[in-house]
Amino acid sequence: MDAEYFLVDQGLAEPAPLTFRYHRFAPHSEFGRHRHRWGQLSRISLGLMELLLEDRRVVAPAQYLLWTPAEVPHAAYIRHAMHYTSIYINREQAARLPAHICLIEQTSLIRALLDDFCQRQITVISDPWDTRQAELLVERLVRASHEESYLPDSAQRLLQPILQAIRQDPADATTLKQWAEQVFSTERTLARLFQRELGMSFGQWRARARLLEALSRLKQGDSVQDISAALGYATPSAFIAMFQKQLGDSPERYRRQLLQDGQWQDGLSV
């Protein structure tokens, strides 16, 4: 399956300016170390996609696009059955995007432009209006926020024990003030370090860690009530609000999509 996928990939002509490929992946699809001739945006319908680099792992949930520049070696792992779209970008337009692998936020406009292409199953762009739409899409991608990873890490000595503890137990309710006391620092110092080292607040980082744990528990079949309690939310509605804010969908709708996509027997169709 991998050989077929990469054979088609390597034979693609340079996009003008974009080329789309559509796939369905089975759960636990793995792709060994490889590289692409063209810059690639990866779009998934739900769940998580992981890219494995030489020095780090990049996790991308469905509300983000994963940008991989041309010729950057990487391996990939997809946890859940899902629809997957590859969007290849020509050299001229790709040069406007970051020179490293990163996550790009799907704003409402970016999502709408991509949805239109995908719903019409556009592959190679030939219509002048579609070319204009593709150029607008690239422009919005350039202007959108970029992140190194959904759940970034840091070796900073004050942050490391905090990040490790929350990764091990996302329900940990220790406040930033309490953490400051434990690591012999101040709340203000830790808040500044979170922004400088991770690009987000302590609360935002912990919410993301909890979301990743929630996705895993939903896959296992745990109820929303059990998950919200296990992750330290006061009520299921508070957990649901967090989930919808992060993924744009409710936990139950996400679970139904998992069950539906889990019925696929084939791992990939082009």
Side-chain angles (χ1 to χ4, degrees):
M1 197 66 68
D2 287 16
E4 176 188 353
Y5 174 83
F6 292 124
L7 182 63
V8 174
D9 183 86
Q10 292 301 313
L12 291 174
E14 180 167 9
L18 306 178
T19 296
F20 293 78
R21 291 183 66 200
Y22 307 99
H23 321 281
R24 294 190 306 179
F25 286 117
H28 308 297
S29 293
E30 297 186 42
F31 297 90
R33 194 170 178 79
H34 63 282
R35 62 185 72 197
H36 303 283
R37 295 175 63 199
W38 319 111
Q40 180 196 42
L41 286 165
S42 297
R43 189 191 198 207
I44 58 178
S45 60
L46 79 166
L48 300 169
M49 180 177 181
E50 299 176 25
L51 253 58
L52 306 177
L53 312 180
E54 288 185 354
D55 58 344
R56 63 190 176 103
R57 180 184 69 160
V58 179
V59 178
Q63 73 268 35
Y64 287 87
L65 299 169
L66 206 161
W67 164 243
T68 306
E71 303 300 340
V72 174
H74 60 281
Y77 176 68
I78 293 177
R79 296 187 183 188
H80 309 307
M82 65 180 64
H83 292 280
Y84 173 84
T85 305
S86 295
I87 305 113
Y88 297 95
I89 302 181
N90 68 16
R91 291 187 178 91
E92 179 182 358
Q93 297 292 350
R96 304 177 61 203
L97 292 166
H100 57 277
I101 289 177
C102 66
L103 278 61
I104 301 179
E105 181 184 4
Q106 285 196 75
T107 63
S108 298
L109 179 54
I110 288 174
R111 187 179 298 277
L113 293 170
L114 284 172
D115 283 346
D116 180 66
F117 280 128
C118 294
Q119 287 166 7
R120 292 186 289 130
Q121 292 287 286
I122 298 297
T123 52
V124 176
I125 291 178
S126 57
D127 184 277
W129 285 104
D130 283 339
T131 300
R132 295 187 183 95
Q133 181 169 318
E135 291 169 347
L136 174 60
L137 172 60
V138 173
E139 185 65 34
R140 301 316 303 179
L141 291 169
V142 171
R143 294 169 181 258
S145 63
H146 305 154
E147 298 185 22
E148 297 300 310
S149 180
Y150 183 71
L151 196 66
D153 208 347
S154 172
Q156 207 285 333
R157 65 177 183 83
L158 295 177
L159 295 185
Q160 199 169 41
I162 302 173
L163 303 183
Q164 183 178 356
I166 296 174
R167 285 183 189 275
Q168 292 177 351
D169 180 16
D172 191 317
T174 306
T175 66
L176 194 60
K177 182 178 180 180
Q178 292 169 334
W179 275 120
E181 295 172 355
Q182 292 186 34
V183 300
F184 306 103
S185 183
T186 67
E187 185 176 3
R188 179 176 294 182
T189 296
L190 290 183
R192 185 174 66 250
L193 287 173
F194 264 92
Q195 289 292 345
R196 188 187 76 189
E197 296 287 322
L198 304 173
M200 65 189 73
S201 71
F202 166 73
Q204 289 172 322
W205 194 94
R206 185 169 61 182
R208 291 187 176 197
R210 289 177 172 178
L211 176 64
L212 296 183
E213 178 67 15
L215 293 177
S216 176
R217 289 173 177 265
L218 283 169
K219 177 67 174 178
Q220 295 170 11
D222 294 1
S223 70
V224 170
Q225 290 76 11
D226 288 345
I227 295 171
S228 63
L231 293 181
Y233 287 92
T235 64
S237 60
F239 164 68
I240 293 170
M242 179 281 295
F243 196 97
Q244 289 180 319
K245 181 178 180 181
Q246 294 290 327
L247 292 187
D249 212 343
S250 72
E252 285 300 340
R253 288 186 62 184
Y254 178 90
R255 189 202 306 279
R256 287 197 296 271
Q257 184 66 41
L258 280 178
L259 293 173
Q260 176 184 340
D261 292 347
Q263 301 304 312
W264 292 340
Q265 297 300 314
D266 56 325
L268 169 68
S269 62
V270 180

